[in-house]
Amino acid sequence: DLPRIGLLHTWTETQSCGWVRYALDAQKVPYTLLRPEDVQKNALNEIDVLLFPTRESNLTDMLQGIDPAFGPLAYTTTREYPSHGVPDGSDDITGGIGYLGMEKIARFLEEGGVLLATANGGILAVDGGLVRRVRRVTGVQTPGSELVAHVEQPRSPLAYGYPEWTSVFRGNTALFDVRKPERARVVLQFGTERKDETRTTDEAGTMEETPETVTTSVSLDVGGTGSAELAISDSETAARNDAPKSILLSGRLEDPAAIDGKPAILDLPVGSGRVVLYAFEPLHRYLNHSDFRWLWNGILNWNDLAG
């Protein structure tokens, strides 16, 4: 079934939502534009999929928004400013999603809704406590980089149409990780390493998780122009030694080991619903067309992800 889509924006950061809106409009994908105040009411009762793209880097900004001390602050169409209030407006744009909005989103998920959180949108789910057993990873610098990625769950509807080895475009957005028991939730990972975790005992006698990295031998074809070309195996059972040698195909990456093996897409069950975390922006400024399908798959298969 085609879902009813809600596209959520905040009033403190509207550019990310604007680019996603541009892509949806260009592809004639119907959606409802949602404001924080809509989420606090009953707007989520009218949708199946909540799409949340943002560049905001912390939960506080998402929840609190613009300081109400500056309100009421209207953004509406007037004779003097006819372009204001379009495509969305409000009599008061102060405040954010708030705890009431978080409660509504949590209930939406429990009752079978799907949250597709791209770029920093995943911070809302992870730091806001909507999902469990996911941790933030900091200190990774990918300021507009094309990175090798490996499909970990080829049977996932999110991966439909992609080969085992591919690449995605990533900016400096949130990165997440999970421990070994949750690795089955990783649909796509960055890089060529497989990180397995074993339990060890530290000096205090406490059991702790330590990563055991399995590195594969790899190859990379370079064309005559010097541009990297990703060699993809046609076999679904191809071993990891068919992987490219370098995680970085284009752009800059200061510490490859910090992101190699980390999840690029996580598919997490919450109640009767799902939260899908994209550690990149699939619809980045309508440029990275090869990544669009990662989001289209989430939308088209929203009620088949559990299978």
Side-chain angles (χ1 to χ4, degrees), residues 13-178:
E13 202 281 317
T14 60
Q15 183 182 111
S16 298
C17 179
W19 280 111
V20 172
R21 183 170 54 82
Y22 181 91
L24 295 176
D25 289 344
Q27 300 298 321
K28 296 181 172 54
V29 178
Y31 62 92
T32 300
L33 197 56
L34 298 179
R35 308 166 299 176
E37 53 264 46
D38 297 324
V39 172
Q40 293 177 351
K41 297 176 183 177
N42 296 313
L44 298 185
N45 294 340
E46 306 300 322
I47 66 170
D48 305 301
V49 172
L50 179 62
L51 179 57
F52 185 44
T54 185
R55 300 287 296 185
E56 288 179 307
S57 60
N58 64 78
L59 181 65
T60 300
D61 289 344
M62 297 176 191
L63 295 185
Q64 295 185 351
I66 299 173
D67 191 340
F70 297 105
L73 187 61
Y75 183 69
T76 56
T77 302
T78 65
R79 179 177 298 180
E80 185 177 5
Y81 300 104
S83 63
H84 287 194
V86 178
D88 211 353
S90 175
D91 292 330
D92 186 9
I93 63 173
T94 65
I97 296 171
Y99 292 108
L100 177 58
M102 290 296 290
E103 179 184 353
K104 297 284 187 176
I105 295 174
R107 184 180 305 170
F108 167 76
L109 295 171
E110 288 290 335
E111 295 176 353
V114 174
L115 170 62
L116 304 180
T118 67
N120 284 351
I123 294 174
L124 184 75
V126 175
D127 291 359
L130 296 174
V131 297
R132 297 177 181 270
R133 295 179 290 278
V134 181
R135 60 183 184 269
R136 292 272 302 278
V137 177
T138 59
V140 177
Q141 294 294 318
T142 52
S145 307
E146 189 74 16
L147 303 177
V148 167
H150 182 262
V151 175
E152 297 287 294
Q153 301 295 335
R155 295 185 179 181
S156 168
L158 293 168
Y160 284 172
Y162 283 99
E164 179 186 8
W165 290 102
T166 183
S167 66
V168 296
F169 178 85
R170 175 182 153 83
N172 279 328
T173 57
L175 184 65
F176 309 101
D177 202 3
V178 293

Side-chain angles (χ1 to χ4, degrees), residues 215-250:
T215 307
T216 60
S217 59
V218 291
S219 61
L220 182 68
D221 293 332
V222 179
T225 61
S227 60
E229 296 180 358
L230 192 60
I232 304 295
S233 171
D234 292 332
S235 172
E236 293 183 358
T237 59
R240 283 182 180 266
N241 58 12
D242 292 327
K245 179 177 294 185
S246 172
I247 182 176
L248 181 65
L249 294 181
S250 178

